[in-house]
Amino acid sequence: MATTLGGTVPVERARVSGTPPITLRTRVSYGTGAIANGIKNAAFTTYLLFFYSQIIGVPAGIVSAAVALTLLVDAVADPLIGRWSDLTRSRWGRRHPFIYGAALPTALFFLLAWFPPAGMSDLQMGVWIFVTASLTRVSISAFEIATSAMTPEMTDDYRERTRLFSLRWWFGYAGTYGFTTLCLLTFFAATPEYPRGQLNPDGYPGFAIAGALTILVVILICGIGTHNRIPYLRQAEVRVERTPLLGHLREMGSALRNRAFLSIFGFGVLKYSAIGLYSATNLFFGTYLFELNATQLAILTIDSLVAATIAAPLAPVMSAWIGKRASSMLFAVVGVAIGLSPLLLSYFGWFFVPGDALLVPTLFAIGALYGAMVAISLINTSSMLADVVEDSAVTTGRHEAGIFFAASSFMQQCSTAIGIFLAGRLLVWSDFPAKPAPGQVSEEAVRSLVIHYIPCSIGLWTLGALILLFYPITRAKHEANVAALRAREAEARSLEMDNSALLGPVR
């Protein structure tokens, strides 16, 4: 049995005492699930705008507007999914029904996004993009919200949470950049007709099918591999009274007014928009500014895997050394400044020109350093959000991880919606042609795209980091919150035992 948003309202039962340690198999299964969202992010943020504007010929303004509108769907769906997950009661707990239920729909809708029906007008194409992207995003949100919400339920240790998120981010990067690398070397390999294979229309069907199948498999691996933790996660129990929809909205609002959450949310919306903008324009810069072929792009994609491998062990160290907030802010701004240097130097003619033997190695080194610093920021911010769950529970009495990680899912979806929208506007402002013939993209258009992109990117990251100054949870405050909640649960158990003793055995 599972509760619905308009049905019976559960109260939470604390995790079972004597919880066994998390095994390596469970950790790896949990992390593997992030590959699904990584593939979706790679496909939607990097290739969707490129595919529809450069391959199909739909104007970039229509594509970016269609994707941006999906954010309205996320704004409604994500918090409802999070609330529903928090309230769900079933023999599989409150998270795993969403994990299993999201597998097939996510793969199917992802696949449909890359096979638009023939003969549609540009406007109809925009509608197709909006519908298929929205359905894909809602499906992946159900999975991402449920799995992310499990993290604070698996452990309340300050540093252990960062380790779990480090593992999850590494697999997420593996999904995004590992999958992209393999596709560039296979489906988008150079041919005599298309020396830059990313412009070859015949590569996209295989790309889409491989992505859909991988998404289906890794979601199931995550669900099955973490199934053994269900008895030890915080569960929901039913109480008699019912709460109307307005009551649910009121409780959701009280949780989301948490100051720590609001600071993370502000930073998250801006940073993920910047990440989406980077991902959506990166293929344009690689193709038209640095004139890279698919093999060179594949090599540069590997730098992100190197970055994730560096960041995964360093993020917990940095959070313990200078704190989660400081490391999130510092590594974000400094890393992005380093990452923008090739574009800025190229604009002034001070960087390696296309074809130079040092171009790809230099881009690789800068990308690995930039990526590692940004990844450390992302990992520690995710861990900070897990700490918000206890901070809110001290005030509200409810552990609403689903609500908070629904907001996290919404923030990440901004990378696709707002990021692609901004990229589309930059392409329009730069007079970038749709489905250009070889040599049709002028140097002026490329330079215009560069000079529009740089201030937009650094502005989003810097403003977001400043918002994070308002995040108030230190390690000491988190440990005090955990101690207060444990004392409250111990008192509740003691009271329950006293009541049972007074009532005596039921005849």
Side-chain angles (χ1 to χ4, degrees), residues 150-197:
M150 281 200 303
T151 308
E153 297 172 355
M154 291 169 74
T155 178
D156 55 19
D157 182 80
Y158 185 81
R159 191 170 180 180
E160 177 65 16
R161 285 179 172 178
T162 307
R163 293 192 187 100
L164 283 174
F165 277 112
S166 294
L167 184 66
R168 190 163 179 80
W169 275 103
W170 188 91
F171 276 101
Y173 269 59
T176 299
Y177 301 108
F179 177 75
T180 301
T181 300
L182 291 175
C183 290
L184 286 169
L185 294 175
T186 54
F187 304 117
F188 301 128
T191 65
E193 186 178 1
Y194 294 97
R196 294 176 192 159

Side-chain angles (χ1 to χ4, degrees), residues 10-11 42 50 56 81 115 154 178 207 212 243 251 267 276 283 306 331 334 385 417 439 450 469 476 491-492:
V11 292
F50 193 89
I56 303 296
I81 292 171
F115 291 93
M154 291 169 74
F207 167 83
T243 300
E251 289 186 357
F267 178 48
L283 194 56
V306 174
F331 286 104
V334 175
L385 186 58
V450 170
L469 286 170
E491 182 180 354

Side-chain angles (χ1 to χ4, degrees), residues 447-490:
R447 286 173 57 82
S448 179
L449 182 61
V450 170
I451 205 60
H452 280 103
Y453 172 82
I454 291 174
C456 188
S457 176
I458 196 68
L460 289 168
W461 279 103
T462 303
L463 181 58
L466 291 174
I467 292 174
L468 207 58
L469 286 170
F470 295 96
Y471 180 82
I473 303 176
T474 62
R475 180 168 187 167
K477 182 173 175 59
H478 168 71
E479 290 173 351
N481 287 337
V482 171
L485 293 172
R486 286 176 177 171
R488 186 182 297 174
E489 290 177 352

Side-chain angles (χ1 to χ4, degrees), residues 270-340:
L270 293 173
K271 76 178 179 185
Y272 282 116
S273 297
I275 290 171
L277 174 62
Y278 164 80
S279 299
T281 54
N282 194 43
L283 194 56
F284 286 86
F285 290 133
T287 302
Y288 300 114
L289 176 62
F290 300 120
E291 299 180 12
L292 304 173
N293 58 38
T295 301
Q296 291 170 318
L297 289 172
I299 293 171
L300 292 180
T301 302
I302 297 172
D303 66 7
S304 296
L305 291 175
V306 174
T309 304
I310 295 171
L314 280 182
V317 175
M318 291 297 105
S319 70
W321 182 31
I322 62 175
K324 295 179 182 179
R325 183 182 71 171
S327 61
S328 296
M329 296 172 62
L330 175 65
F331 286 104
V333 176
V334 175
V336 169
I338 293 171
L340 290 173

